[in-house]
Amino acid sequence: MSEISPAEAAERLTRRRARIMPVLALFLFIQQAAFFTRSDLMQSVDLVRTAGWLLFSAVVLAALLTGGLWFKPREVRELMNDEVTRANRAEALGAGFTVAMFAGILLYGADSFAPGPVDLRDGIHLIVSAGLATALLRFGLLERRALA
C-alpha cells in the first residue's frame, strides 16, 4: 500500500478537524455538569477534576491559537494552515473572546445585584469554558462551510 501525499493527509486532517471541533465544544459543555456537581470540600476527586479541566482547557486554547497537530509533519501542518483557515481561526477566536467578555460582564452584574451566587472559581470556569466552547463551535462551523 502506498503512502499518501502530504496534500492528501492535510485534506483528510482538515475534514477531521472540522468534525472534531464541535465535539470538543460539546465535551466542554458536558464537563460543566461534572464540575458544578462537586462537593464543597476539596477532595482528591475534585482536585483531579479541576486539573483535568485546566489541562483540557490549556490544550484546547493552544490548539485554537496554533492550529494544533503538533506531531504531524511540518509540511502537512503548513498545508492545513492556509489563508482561509487562519481567517476562520481568527474569527472563531474573536467570537470566543466576545462571549467570554459577555459572560464576565453578566457575572459581574449578577454579583453586583445579588452577591454570592457564583464564587470566583466557578465564575472563572464559566467564562473560560464559554469562550473556548464558542471558539471551537465557530471554528468547526466555519471550516465545514469552507470545505463544502
Side-chain angles (χ1 to χ4, degrees), residues 30-83:
I30 291 170
Q31 196 177 32
Q32 299 307 304
F35 184 83
F36 288 108
T37 58
R38 73 182 191 283
S39 65
D40 288 337
L41 303 173
M42 284 301 285
Q43 299 173 356
S44 59
V45 72
D46 292 328
L47 294 174
V48 170
R49 186 180 302 147
T50 299
W53 176 79
L54 286 169
L55 181 62
F56 182 64
S57 296
V59 169
V60 165
L61 179 60
L64 282 167
L65 291 172
T66 67
L69 300 165
W70 305 293
F71 303 111
K72 296 295 178 188
R74 182 182 193 118
E75 185 178 5
V76 172
R77 289 193 321 263
E78 287 174 358
L79 287 169
M80 292 179 67
N81 196 27
D82 62 5
E83 189 174 316

mmCIF file of all heavy atoms in Angstrom, residues 30-83:
data_model
loop_
_atom_site.group_PDB
_atom_site.id
_atom_site.type_symbol
_atom_site.label_atom_id
_atom_site.label_comp_id
_atom_site.label_asym_id
_atom_site.label_seq_id
_atom_site.Cartn_x
_atom_site.Cartn_y
_atom_site.Cartn_z
ATOM 1 N N ILE A 30 -20.541 19.342 28.533
ATOM 2 C CA ILE A 30 -20.826 18.182 29.388
ATOM 3 C C ILE A 30 -20.008 18.250 30.664
ATOM 4 O O ILE A 30 -20.495 17.927 31.752
ATOM 5 C CB ILE A 30 -20.562 16.872 28.624
ATOM 6 C CG1 ILE A 30 -21.602 16.693 27.520
ATOM 7 C CG2 ILE A 30 -20.554 15.671 29.565
ATOM 8 C CD1 ILE A 30 -21.290 15.563 26.552
ATOM 9 N N GLN A 31 -18.787 18.706 30.532
ATOM 10 C CA GLN A 31 -17.906 18.802 31.694
ATOM 11 C C GLN A 31 -18.437 19.804 32.724
ATOM 12 O O GLN A 31 -18.141 19.690 33.909
ATOM 13 C CB GLN A 31 -16.512 19.202 31.222
ATOM 14 C CG GLN A 31 -15.431 18.974 32.235
ATOM 15 C CD GLN A 31 -14.078 19.329 31.689
ATOM 16 O OE1 GLN A 31 -13.938 20.232 30.860
ATOM 17 N NE2 GLN A 31 -13.056 18.640 32.159
ATOM 18 N N GLN A 32 -19.253 20.761 32.270
ATOM 19 C CA GLN A 32 -19.825 21.734 33.197
ATOM 20 C C GLN A 32 -20.662 21.039 34.270
ATOM 21 O O GLN A 32 -20.589 21.393 35.444
ATOM 22 C CB GLN A 32 -20.694 22.755 32.460
ATOM 23 C CG GLN A 32 -19.983 23.576 31.425
ATOM 24 C CD GLN A 32 -18.751 24.259 31.957
ATOM 25 O OE1 GLN A 32 -18.810 25.005 32.918
ATOM 26 N NE2 GLN A 32 -17.630 23.981 31.335
ATOM 27 N N ALA A 33 -21.449 20.067 33.853
ATOM 28 C CA ALA A 33 -22.293 19.345 34.819
ATOM 29 C C ALA A 33 -21.435 18.648 35.866
ATOM 30 O O ALA A 33 -21.724 18.717 37.062
ATOM 31 C CB ALA A 33 -23.172 18.342 34.095
ATOM 32 N N ALA A 34 -20.374 18.010 35.424
ATOM 33 C CA ALA A 34 -19.484 17.323 36.366
ATOM 34 C C ALA A 34 -18.788 18.326 37.281
ATOM 35 O O ALA A 34 -18.637 18.089 38.483
ATOM 36 C CB ALA A 34 -18.449 16.491 35.609
ATOM 37 N N PHE A 35 -18.384 19.445 36.723
ATOM 38 C CA PHE A 35 -17.661 20.430 37.517
ATOM 39 C C PHE A 35 -18.542 21.037 38.597
ATOM 40 O O PHE A 35 -18.128 21.200 39.733
ATOM 41 C CB PHE A 35 -17.114 21.538 36.608
ATOM 42 C CG PHE A 35 -16.271 22.542 37.335
ATOM 43 C CD1 PHE A 35 -14.932 22.289 37.587
ATOM 44 C CD2 PHE A 35 -16.804 23.731 37.780
ATOM 45 C CE1 PHE A 35 -14.148 23.202 38.274
ATOM 46 C CE2 PHE A 35 -16.029 24.663 38.462
ATOM 47 C CZ PHE A 35 -14.697 24.391 38.705
ATOM 48 N N PHE A 36 -19.771 21.359 38.253
ATOM 49 C CA PHE A 36 -20.640 22.048 39.199
ATOM 50 C C PHE A 36 -21.398 21.112 40.134
ATOM 51 O O PHE A 36 -22.168 21.572 40.966
ATOM 52 C CB PHE A 36 -21.590 22.989 38.462
ATOM 53 C CG PHE A 36 -20.869 24.188 37.912
ATOM 54 C CD1 PHE A 36 -20.656 24.324 36.553
ATOM 55 C CD2 PHE A 36 -20.361 25.152 38.769
ATOM 56 C CE1 PHE A 36 -19.964 25.419 36.054
ATOM 57 C CE2 PHE A 36 -19.670 26.249 38.273
ATOM 58 C CZ PHE A 36 -19.471 26.375 36.914
ATOM 59 N N THR A 37 -21.170 19.811 40.035
ATOM 60 C CA THR A 37 -21.750 18.872 41.000
ATOM 61 C C THR A 37 -20.725 18.456 42.047
ATOM 62 O O THR A 37 -20.970 17.554 42.815
ATOM 63 C CB THR A 37 -22.295 17.611 40.297
ATOM 64 O OG1 THR A 37 -21.242 16.982 39.581
ATOM 65 C CG2 THR A 37 -23.448 17.958 39.381
ATOM 66 N N ARG A 38 -19.600 19.131 42.065
ATOM 67 C CA ARG A 38 -18.563 18.781 43.042
ATOM 68 C C ARG A 38 -19.025 19.144 44.455
ATOM 69 O O ARG A 38 -19.909 19.972 44.636
ATOM 70 C CB ARG A 38 -17.261 19.485 42.707
ATOM 71 C CG ARG A 38 -17.280 20.965 42.998
ATOM 72 C CD ARG A 38 -15.972 21.605 42.590
ATOM 73 N NE ARG A 38 -15.861 22.942 43.090
ATOM 74 C CZ ARG A 38 -16.470 24.004 42.592
ATOM 75 N NH1 ARG A 38 -17.274 23.876 41.567
ATOM 76 N NH2 ARG A 38 -16.293 25.195 43.127
ATOM 77 N N SER A 39 -18.381 18.561 45.409
ATOM 78 C CA SER A 39 -18.718 18.859 46.797
ATOM 79 C C SER A 39 -18.045 20.163 47.213
ATOM 80 O O SER A 39 -17.159 20.662 46.536
ATOM 81 C CB SER A 39 -18.249 17.716 47.697
ATOM 82 O OG SER A 39 -16.836 17.627 47.667
ATOM 83 N N ASP A 40 -18.469 20.688 48.337
ATOM 84 C CA ASP A 40 -17.857 21.915 48.837
ATOM 85 C C ASP A 40 -16.468 21.643 49.416
ATOM 86 O O ASP A 40 -15.653 22.538 49.509
ATOM 87 C CB ASP A 40 -18.742 22.549 49.916
ATOM 88 C CG ASP A 40 -19.992 23.170 49.308
ATOM 89 O OD1 ASP A 40 -19.972 23.488 48.115
ATOM 90 O OD2 ASP A 40 -20.991 23.306 50.032
ATOM 91 N N LEU A 41 -16.228 20.423 49.819
ATOM 92 C CA LEU A 41 -14.927 20.062 50.353
ATOM 93 C C LEU A 41 -13.991 19.731 49.197
ATOM 94 O O LEU A 41 -14.381 19.097 48.234
ATOM 95 C CB LEU A 41 -15.046 18.837 51.269
ATOM 96 C CG LEU A 41 -16.014 18.966 52.449
ATOM 97 C CD1 LEU A 41 -16.142 17.633 53.149
ATOM 98 C CD2 LEU A 41 -15.503 20.025 53.412
ATOM 99 N N MET A 42 -12.759 20.192 49.285
ATOM 100 C CA MET A 42 -11.790 19.882 48.242
ATOM 101 C C MET A 42 -11.266 18.469 48.475
ATOM 102 O O MET A 42 -10.360 18.241 49.263
ATOM 103 C CB MET A 42 -10.641 20.898 48.254
ATOM 104 C CG MET A 42 -11.008 22.227 47.648
ATOM 105 S SD MET A 42 -11.552 22.087 45.939
ATOM 106 C CE MET A 42 -10.004 21.815 45.137
ATOM 107 N N GLN A 43 -11.882 17.521 47.819
ATOM 108 C CA GLN A 43 -11.461 16.139 47.910
ATOM 109 C C GLN A 43 -10.530 15.842 46.754
ATOM 110 O O GLN A 43 -10.443 16.593 45.793
ATOM 111 C CB GLN A 43 -12.674 15.220 47.878
ATOM 112 C CG GLN A 43 -13.629 15.463 49.023
ATOM 113 C CD GLN A 43 -14.898 14.646 48.870
ATOM 114 O OE1 GLN A 43 -15.095 13.963 47.882
ATOM 115 N NE2 GLN A 43 -15.753 14.711 49.870
ATOM 116 N N SER A 44 -9.839 14.704 46.824
ATOM 117 C CA SER A 44 -8.885 14.372 45.771
ATOM 118 C C SER A 44 -9.575 14.250 44.414
ATOM 119 O O SER A 44 -9.013 14.631 43.391
ATOM 120 C CB SER A 44 -8.133 13.094 46.118
ATOM 121 O OG SER A 44 -9.035 12.026 46.295
ATOM 122 N N VAL A 45 -10.811 13.762 44.384
ATOM 123 C CA VAL A 45 -11.516 13.650 43.104
ATOM 124 C C VAL A 45 -11.793 15.032 42.524
ATOM 125 O O VAL A 45 -11.747 15.227 41.305
ATOM 126 C CB VAL A 45 -12.802 12.810 43.239
ATOM 127 C CG1 VAL A 45 -13.882 13.564 43.998
ATOM 128 C CG2 VAL A 45 -13.319 12.392 41.878
ATOM 129 N N ASP A 46 -12.068 16.014 43.381
ATOM 130 C CA ASP A 46 -12.283 17.381 42.907
ATOM 131 C C ASP A 46 -10.991 17.980 42.361
ATOM 132 O O ASP A 46 -11.014 18.712 41.374
ATOM 133 C CB ASP A 46 -12.834 18.261 44.022
ATOM 134 C CG ASP A 46 -14.247 17.864 44.426
ATOM 135 O OD1 ASP A 46 -14.992 17.406 43.535
ATOM 136 O OD2 ASP A 46 -14.586 18.008 45.605
ATOM 137 N N LEU A 47 -9.874 17.656 42.997
ATOM 138 C CA LEU A 47 -8.587 18.150 42.510
ATOM 139 C C LEU A 47 -8.255 17.544 41.151
ATOM 140 O O LEU A 47 -7.768 18.240 40.254
ATOM 141 C CB LEU A 47 -7.485 17.849 43.522
ATOM 142 C CG LEU A 47 -7.595 18.590 44.855
ATOM 143 C CD1 LEU A 47 -6.534 18.107 45.831
ATOM 144 C CD2 LEU A 47 -7.484 20.087 44.638
ATOM 145 N N VAL A 48 -8.532 16.264 40.977
ATOM 146 C CA VAL A 48 -8.299 15.604 39.688
ATOM 147 C C VAL A 48 -9.211 16.205 38.626
ATOM 148 O O VAL A 48 -8.780 16.482 37.499
ATOM 149 C CB VAL A 48 -8.501 14.076 39.807
ATOM 150 C CG1 VAL A 48 -8.504 13.408 38.445
ATOM 151 C CG2 VAL A 48 -7.435 13.467 40.704
ATOM 152 N N ARG A 49 -10.466 16.416 38.967
ATOM 153 C CA ARG A 49 -11.425 17.011 38.029
ATOM 154 C C ARG A 49 -10.975 18.410 37.622
ATOM 155 O O ARG A 49 -11.012 18.767 36.438
ATOM 156 C CB ARG A 49 -12.802 17.070 38.685
ATOM 157 C CG ARG A 49 -13.911 17.524 37.780
ATOM 158 C CD ARG A 49 -15.237 17.548 38.493
ATOM 159 N NE ARG A 49 -15.549 16.233 39.032
ATOM 160 C CZ ARG A 49 -16.224 16.011 40.150
ATOM 161 N NH1 ARG A 49 -16.678 17.007 40.862
ATOM 162 N NH2 ARG A 49 -16.461 14.796 40.565
ATOM 163 N N THR A 50 -10.534 19.198 38.574
ATOM 164 C CA THR A 50 -10.068 20.552 38.283
ATOM 165 C C THR A 50 -8.806 20.518 37.427
ATOM 166 O O THR A 50 -8.689 21.269 36.453
ATOM 167 C CB THR A 50 -9.812 21.327 39.591
ATOM 168 O OG1 THR A 50 -11.041 21.410 40.316
ATOM 169 C CG2 THR A 50 -9.283 22.719 39.326
ATOM 170 N N ALA A 51 -7.875 19.649 37.781
ATOM 171 C CA ALA A 51 -6.644 19.525 36.990
ATOM 172 C C ALA A 51 -6.964 19.076 35.562
ATOM 173 O O ALA A 51 -6.359 19.575 34.600
ATOM 174 C CB ALA A 51 -5.687 18.546 37.656
ATOM 175 N N GLY A 52 -7.911 18.170 35.418
ATOM 176 C CA GLY A 52 -8.321 17.722 34.088
ATOM 177 C C GLY A 52 -8.898 18.851 33.259
ATOM 178 O O GLY A 52 -8.585 19.001 32.076
ATOM 179 N N TRP A 53 -9.743 19.663 33.896
ATOM 180 C CA TRP A 53 -10.333 20.789 33.180
ATOM 181 C C TRP A 53 -9.254 21.804 32.796
ATOM 182 O O TRP A 53 -9.252 22.317 31.671
ATOM 183 C CB TRP A 53 -11.405 21.475 34.030
ATOM 184 C CG TRP A 53 -11.966 22.688 33.357
ATOM 185 C CD1 TRP A 53 -12.900 22.715 32.369
ATOM 186 C CD2 TRP A 53 -11.595 24.050 33.602
ATOM 187 N NE1 TRP A 53 -13.137 24.022 31.979
ATOM 188 C CE2 TRP A 53 -12.355 24.852 32.725
ATOM 189 C CE3 TRP A 53 -10.704 24.656 34.473
ATOM 190 C CZ2 TRP A 53 -12.241 26.235 32.695
ATOM 191 C CZ3 TRP A 53 -10.600 26.040 34.446
ATOM 192 C CH2 TRP A 53 -11.364 26.805 33.570
ATOM 193 N N LEU A 54 -8.331 22.084 33.713
ATOM 194 C CA LEU A 54 -7.257 23.031 33.417
ATOM 195 C C LEU A 54 -6.411 22.548 32.244
ATOM 196 O O LEU A 54 -6.118 23.314 31.325
ATOM 197 C CB LEU A 54 -6.370 23.235 34.652
ATOM 198 C CG LEU A 54 -6.954 24.064 35.781
ATOM 199 C CD1 LEU A 54 -6.095 23.951 37.035
ATOM 200 C CD2 LEU A 54 -7.099 25.512 35.355
ATOM 201 N N LEU A 55 -6.027 21.277 32.258
ATOM 202 C CA LEU A 55 -5.209 20.719 31.183
ATOM 203 C C LEU A 55 -5.973 20.718 29.858
ATOM 204 O O LEU A 55 -5.448 21.143 28.825
ATOM 205 C CB LEU A 55 -4.749 19.304 31.537
ATOM 206 C CG LEU A 55 -3.875 18.611 30.504
ATOM 207 C CD1 LEU A 55 -2.580 19.385 30.296
ATOM 208 C CD2 LEU A 55 -3.577 17.187 30.936
ATOM 209 N N PHE A 56 -7.224 20.254 29.890
ATOM 210 C CA PHE A 56 -8.047 20.217 28.677
ATOM 211 C C PHE A 56 -8.211 21.623 28.105
ATOM 212 O O PHE A 56 -8.048 21.843 26.901
ATOM 213 C CB PHE A 56 -9.406 19.580 28.987
ATOM 214 C CG PHE A 56 -10.308 19.440 27.800
ATOM 215 C CD1 PHE A 56 -9.980 18.622 26.741
ATOM 216 C CD2 PHE A 56 -11.519 20.114 27.762
ATOM 217 C CE1 PHE A 56 -10.823 18.490 25.649
ATOM 218 C CE2 PHE A 56 -12.371 19.986 26.676
ATOM 219 C CZ PHE A 56 -12.014 19.173 25.613
ATOM 220 N N SER A 57 -8.508 22.582 28.958
ATOM 221 C CA SER A 57 -8.693 23.965 28.509
ATOM 222 C C SER A 57 -7.411 24.530 27.910
ATOM 223 O O SER A 57 -7.449 25.211 26.872
ATOM 224 C CB SER A 57 -9.161 24.845 29.665
ATOM 225 O OG SER A 57 -10.424 24.419 30.114
ATOM 226 N N ALA A 58 -6.278 24.262 28.546
ATOM 227 C CA ALA A 58 -4.993 24.767 28.038
ATOM 228 C C ALA A 58 -4.659 24.144 26.679
ATOM 229 O O ALA A 58 -4.208 24.848 25.767
ATOM 230 C CB ALA A 58 -3.882 24.478 29.041
ATOM 231 N N VAL A 59 -4.911 22.858 26.514
ATOM 232 C CA VAL A 59 -4.627 22.192 25.242
ATOM 233 C C VAL A 59 -5.563 22.709 24.146
ATOM 234 O O VAL A 59 -5.130 22.967 23.016
ATOM 235 C CB VAL A 59 -4.718 20.655 25.383
ATOM 236 C CG1 VAL A 59 -4.692 19.961 24.042
ATOM 237 C CG2 VAL A 59 -3.587 20.138 26.271
ATOM 238 N N VAL A 60 -6.845 22.880 24.483
ATOM 239 C CA VAL A 60 -7.805 23.413 23.503
ATOM 240 C C VAL A 60 -7.401 24.825 23.088
ATOM 241 O O VAL A 60 -7.404 25.157 21.892
ATOM 242 C CB VAL A 60 -9.242 23.381 24.071
ATOM 243 C CG1 VAL A 60 -10.178 24.248 23.245
ATOM 244 C CG2 VAL A 60 -9.751 21.958 24.123
ATOM 245 N N LEU A 61 -7.037 25.655 24.034
ATOM 246 C CA LEU A 61 -6.610 27.017 23.712
ATOM 247 C C LEU A 61 -5.362 26.992 22.828
ATOM 248 O O LEU A 61 -5.292 27.708 21.824
ATOM 249 C CB LEU A 61 -6.351 27.822 24.983
ATOM 250 C CG LEU A 61 -5.874 29.259 24.769
ATOM 251 C CD1 LEU A 61 -6.903 30.073 23.980
ATOM 252 C CD2 LEU A 61 -5.566 29.914 26.103
ATOM 253 N N ALA A 62 -4.393 26.171 23.181
ATOM 254 C CA ALA A 62 -3.175 26.072 22.374
ATOM 255 C C ALA A 62 -3.489 25.590 20.961
ATOM 256 O O ALA A 62 -2.935 26.101 19.981
ATOM 257 C CB ALA A 62 -2.175 25.134 23.049
ATOM 258 N N ALA A 63 -4.399 24.636 20.842
ATOM 259 C CA ALA A 63 -4.780 24.137 19.517
ATOM 260 C C ALA A 63 -5.478 25.225 18.706
ATOM 261 O O ALA A 63 -5.235 25.363 17.500
ATOM 262 C CB ALA A 63 -5.675 22.910 19.647
ATOM 263 N N LEU A 64 -6.329 25.997 19.355
ATOM 264 C CA LEU A 64 -7.003 27.088 18.655
ATOM 265 C C LEU A 64 -6.018 28.173 18.218
ATOM 266 O O LEU A 64 -6.134 28.733 17.128
ATOM 267 C CB LEU A 64 -8.088 27.708 19.535
ATOM 268 C CG LEU A 64 -9.387 26.926 19.641
ATOM 269 C CD1 LEU A 64 -10.240 27.474 20.785
ATOM 270 C CD2 LEU A 64 -10.165 26.975 18.329
ATOM 271 N N LEU A 65 -5.056 28.472 19.048
ATOM 272 C CA LEU A 65 -4.094 29.528 18.732
ATOM 273 C C LEU A 65 -3.088 29.121 17.665
ATOM 274 O O LEU A 65 -2.675 29.948 16.848
ATOM 275 C CB LEU A 65 -3.352 29.963 19.999
ATOM 276 C CG LEU A 65 -4.181 30.712 21.032
ATOM 277 C CD1 LEU A 65 -3.387 30.899 22.313
ATOM 278 C CD2 LEU A 65 -4.670 32.034 20.487
ATOM 279 N N THR A 66 -2.692 27.848 17.669
ATOM 280 C CA THR A 66 -1.614 27.407 16.778
ATOM 281 C C THR A 66 -2.083 26.544 15.619
ATOM 282 O O THR A 66 -1.325 26.326 14.682
ATOM 283 C CB THR A 66 -0.570 26.592 17.564
ATOM 284 O OG1 THR A 66 -1.165 25.372 18.007
ATOM 285 C CG2 THR A 66 -0.015 27.381 18.727
ATOM 286 N N GLY A 67 -3.280 26.022 15.691
ATOM 287 C CA GLY A 67 -3.744 25.088 14.671
ATOM 288 C C GLY A 67 -3.575 23.645 15.101
ATOM 289 O O GLY A 67 -4.064 22.741 14.441
ATOM 290 N N GLY A 68 -2.867 23.419 16.179
ATOM 291 C CA GLY A 68 -2.709 22.069 16.718
ATOM 292 C C GLY A 68 -1.890 21.164 15.823
ATOM 293 O O GLY A 68 -1.055 21.608 15.043
ATOM 294 N N LEU A 69 -2.154 19.876 15.933
ATOM 295 C CA LEU A 69 -1.476 18.838 15.157
ATOM 296 C C LEU A 69 0.041 18.945 15.260
ATOM 297 O O LEU A 69 0.765 18.825 14.283
ATOM 298 C CB LEU A 69 -1.938 18.882 13.693
ATOM 299 C CG LEU A 69 -3.432 18.674 13.511
ATOM 300 C CD1 LEU A 69 -3.855 19.083 12.115
ATOM 301 C CD2 LEU A 69 -3.816 17.244 13.794
ATOM 302 N N TRP A 70 0.527 19.128 16.472
ATOM 303 C CA TRP A 70 1.941 19.357 16.713
ATOM 304 C C TRP A 70 2.803 18.163 16.332
ATOM 305 O O TRP A 70 3.996 18.312 16.091
ATOM 306 C CB TRP A 70 2.165 19.716 18.186
ATOM 307 C CG TRP A 70 1.335 20.881 18.608
ATOM 308 C CD1 TRP A 70 1.466 22.167 18.177
ATOM 309 C CD2 TRP A 70 0.223 20.877 19.487
ATOM 310 N NE1 TRP A 70 0.510 22.961 18.746
ATOM 311 C CE2 TRP A 70 -0.270 22.199 19.565
ATOM 312 C CE3 TRP A 70 -0.411 19.895 20.231
ATOM 313 C CZ2 TRP A 70 -1.351 22.555 20.359
ATOM 314 C CZ3 TRP A 70 -1.488 20.244 21.010
ATOM 315 C CH2 TRP A 70 -1.951 21.564 21.073
ATOM 316 N N PHE A 71 2.228 16.974 16.266
ATOM 317 C CA PHE A 71 3.008 15.771 15.999
ATOM 318 C C PHE A 71 2.935 15.340 14.533
ATOM 319 O O PHE A 71 3.434 14.286 14.179
ATOM 320 C CB PHE A 71 2.553 14.636 16.919
ATOM 321 C CG PHE A 71 2.665 15.008 18.375
ATOM 322 C CD1 PHE A 71 1.524 15.192 19.147
ATOM 323 C CD2 PHE A 71 3.897 15.210 18.965
ATOM 324 C CE1 PHE A 71 1.620 15.552 20.480
ATOM 325 C CE2 PHE A 71 4.003 15.575 20.297
ATOM 326 C CZ PHE A 71 2.865 15.746 21.057
ATOM 327 N N LYS A 72 2.308 16.131 13.703
ATOM 328 C CA LYS A 72 2.245 15.857 12.270
ATOM 329 C C LYS A 72 3.425 16.548 11.590
ATOM 330 O O LYS A 72 3.977 17.530 12.104
ATOM 331 C CB LYS A 72 0.921 16.361 11.667
ATOM 332 C CG LYS A 72 -0.302 15.661 12.220
ATOM 333 C CD LYS A 72 -0.296 14.201 11.849
ATOM 334 C CE LYS A 72 -1.494 13.483 12.438
ATOM 335 N NZ LYS A 72 -1.421 12.053 12.257
ATOM 336 N N PRO A 73 3.804 16.065 10.413
ATOM 337 C CA PRO A 73 4.920 16.701 9.702
ATOM 338 C C PRO A 73 4.650 18.179 9.418
ATOM 339 O O PRO A 73 3.502 18.587 9.185
ATOM 340 C CB PRO A 73 5.014 15.914 8.391
ATOM 341 C CG PRO A 73 4.358 14.606 8.682
ATOM 342 C CD PRO A 73 3.301 14.885 9.716
ATOM 343 N N ARG A 74 5.694 18.957 9.450
ATOM 344 C CA ARG A 74 5.580 20.399 9.250
ATOM 345 C C ARG A 74 4.873 20.738 7.936
ATOM 346 O O ARG A 74 4.053 21.654 7.871
ATOM 347 C CB ARG A 74 6.966 21.036 9.287
ATOM 348 C CG ARG A 74 6.944 22.525 9.146
ATOM 349 C CD ARG A 74 8.348 23.115 9.135
ATOM 350 N NE ARG A 74 8.249 24.532 9.296
ATOM 351 C CZ ARG A 74 8.753 25.208 10.312
ATOM 352 N NH1 ARG A 74 9.419 24.581 11.244
ATOM 353 N NH2 ARG A 74 8.608 26.505 10.395
ATOM 354 N N GLU A 75 5.173 20.015 6.870
ATOM 355 C CA GLU A 75 4.572 20.277 5.563
ATOM 356 C C GLU A 75 3.050 20.112 5.618
ATOM 357 O O GLU A 75 2.305 20.915 5.050
ATOM 358 C CB GLU A 75 5.163 19.342 4.506
ATOM 359 C CG GLU A 75 4.682 19.623 3.108
ATOM 360 C CD GLU A 75 5.318 18.725 2.071
ATOM 361 O OE1 GLU A 75 6.069 17.801 2.435
ATOM 362 O OE2 GLU A 75 5.038 18.950 0.881
ATOM 363 N N VAL A 76 2.585 19.098 6.325
ATOM 364 C CA VAL A 76 1.142 18.867 6.460
ATOM 365 C C VAL A 76 0.515 20.000 7.263
ATOM 366 O O VAL A 76 -0.534 20.532 6.891
ATOM 367 C CB VAL A 76 0.863 17.490 7.111
ATOM 368 C CG1 VAL A 76 -0.617 17.323 7.434
ATOM 369 C CG2 VAL A 76 1.344 16.362 6.211
ATOM 370 N N ARG A 77 1.149 20.384 8.360
ATOM 371 C CA ARG A 77 0.624 21.490 9.177
ATOM 372 C C ARG A 77 0.535 22.780 8.378
ATOM 373 O O ARG A 77 -0.437 23.524 8.493
ATOM 374 C CB ARG A 77 1.493 21.696 10.419
ATOM 375 C CG ARG A 77 1.374 20.603 11.452
ATOM 376 C CD ARG A 77 1.997 20.977 12.788
ATOM 377 N NE ARG A 77 3.227 21.710 12.707
ATOM 378 C CZ ARG A 77 4.453 21.175 12.788
ATOM 379 N NH1 ARG A 77 4.587 19.878 12.956
ATOM 380 N NH2 ARG A 77 5.524 21.928 12.714
ATOM 381 N N GLU A 78 1.545 23.056 7.560
ATOM 382 C CA GLU A 78 1.534 24.280 6.760
ATOM 383 C C GLU A 78 0.423 24.245 5.710
ATOM 384 O O GLU A 78 -0.218 25.268 5.451
ATOM 385 C CB GLU A 78 2.895 24.495 6.108
ATOM 386 C CG GLU A 78 3.956 24.931 7.102
ATOM 387 C CD GLU A 78 5.350 25.005 6.501
ATOM 388 O OE1 GLU A 78 5.523 24.673 5.305
ATOM 389 O OE2 GLU A 78 6.270 25.393 7.242
ATOM 390 N N LEU A 79 0.192 23.075 5.106
ATOM 391 C CA LEU A 79 -0.904 22.952 4.134
ATOM 392 C C LEU A 79 -2.262 23.152 4.804
ATOM 393 O O LEU A 79 -3.178 23.722 4.202
ATOM 394 C CB LEU A 79 -0.858 21.586 3.449
ATOM 395 C CG LEU A 79 0.253 21.380 2.428
ATOM 396 C CD1 LEU A 79 0.356 19.908 2.036
ATOM 397 C CD2 LEU A 79 0.014 22.254 1.202
ATOM 398 N N MET A 80 -2.382 22.700 6.039
ATOM 399 C CA MET A 80 -3.644 22.837 6.765
ATOM 400 C C MET A 80 -3.868 24.253 7.284
ATOM 401 O O MET A 80 -4.982 24.624 7.614
ATOM 402 C CB MET A 80 -3.680 21.862 7.947
ATOM 403 C CG MET A 80 -3.758 20.413 7.528
ATOM 404 S SD MET A 80 -3.763 19.329 8.952
ATOM 405 C CE MET A 80 -5.352 19.756 9.665
ATOM 406 N N ASN A 81 -2.806 25.016 7.374
ATOM 407 C CA ASN A 81 -2.890 26.360 7.932
ATOM 408 C C ASN A 81 -2.888 27.399 6.810
ATOM 409 O O ASN A 81 -2.127 28.357 6.825
ATOM 410 C CB ASN A 81 -1.720 26.596 8.894
ATOM 411 C CG ASN A 81 -1.947 27.796 9.778
ATOM 412 O OD1 ASN A 81 -3.080 28.163 10.051
ATOM 413 N ND2 ASN A 81 -0.868 28.405 10.218
ATOM 414 N N ASP A 82 -3.790 27.223 5.853
ATOM 415 C CA ASP A 82 -3.858 28.144 4.730
ATOM 416 C C ASP A 82 -4.548 29.442 5.142
ATOM 417 O O ASP A 82 -4.951 29.620 6.290
ATOM 418 C CB ASP A 82 -4.549 27.494 3.528
ATOM 419 C CG ASP A 82 -5.992 27.095 3.818
ATOM 420 O OD1 ASP A 82 -6.505 27.394 4.905
ATOM 421 O OD2 ASP A 82 -6.597 26.467 2.930
ATOM 422 N N GLU A 83 -4.682 30.345 4.186
ATOM 423 C CA GLU A 83 -5.250 31.668 4.468
ATOM 424 C C GLU A 83 -6.688 31.587 4.985
ATOM 425 O O GLU A 83 -7.065 32.308 5.914
ATOM 426 C CB GLU A 83 -5.198 32.514 3.195
ATOM 427 C CG GLU A 83 -5.558 33.962 3.398
ATOM 428 C CD GLU A 83 -5.361 34.779 2.136
ATOM 429 O OE1 GLU A 83 -4.334 34.605 1.464
ATOM 430 O OE2 GLU A 83 -6.254 35.598 1.838
#
